[in-house]
Amino acid sequence: MNKTCTEITHYKLQSPADTELYLKTVDVLNRVLPQIKGFISRDVYYSSEAETWVEVIQWEDLPTAKDAEKTLMSMPECKEGFRLLNMETVSLHYYDKVSELKVR
């Protein structure tokens, strides 16, 4: 397997949630991330049933991912999005891929 690092974050928004505003901050972060060293890709998912968001970000490696987290948390253009999160619900972990199956 390759040595890329996958960052998976689960969270909910502050209540009452302003989903439209949050999606604008998702777009802002999508413009910022490609400028961060080691960034590969980002997917954002939402479950209306669970009112939970999931982000999957691919990084070149774990040290790069951890450095990026510090950088992003300090960027003024990203703080709006972070402020909308219910921080008590945030779960962020880094994973190494151990298996892969692709049909297409």
Side-chain angles (χ1 to χ4, degrees):
M1 294 275 93
N2 61 25
K3 291 296 180 186
T4 61
C5 175
T6 302
E7 173 186 323
I8 300 178
T9 309
H10 296 83
Y11 55 90
K12 293 184 179 195
L13 299 182
Q14 294 282 353
S15 186
D18 187 339
T19 303
E20 200 169 298
L21 176 60
Y22 182 66
L23 287 173
K24 289 178 183 176
T25 71
V26 168
D27 289 339
V28 169
L29 191 53
N30 283 344
R31 288 192 297 275
V32 170
L33 277 169
Q35 302 168 33
I36 305 294
K37 180 183 179 240
F39 172 76
I40 297 172
S41 67
R42 177 189 193 208
D43 294 305
V44 180
Y45 303 90
Y46 178 68
S47 167
S48 58
E49 180 181 348
E51 297 180 343
T52 301
W53 297 78
V54 176
E55 293 192 30
V56 180
I57 302 179
Q58 294 289 321
W59 298 100
E60 287 180 3
D61 54 39
L62 180 59
T64 302
K66 289 188 173 188
D67 287 345
E69 179 184 359
K70 293 174 195 166
T71 300
L72 291 167
M73 293 300 282
S74 69
M75 296 179 78
E77 59 266 50
C78 298
K79 288 185 179 184
E80 174 74 18
F82 298 138
R83 196 173 74 243
L84 296 173
L85 303 184
N86 177 340
M87 296 310 285
E88 293 177 6
T89 68
V90 175
S91 170
L92 184 152
H93 298 282
Y94 300 102
Y95 298 87
D96 297 319
K97 186 185 296 186
V98 296
S99 179
E100 178 178 43
L101 171 65
K102 291 185 179 179
V103 179
R104 296 176 202 176

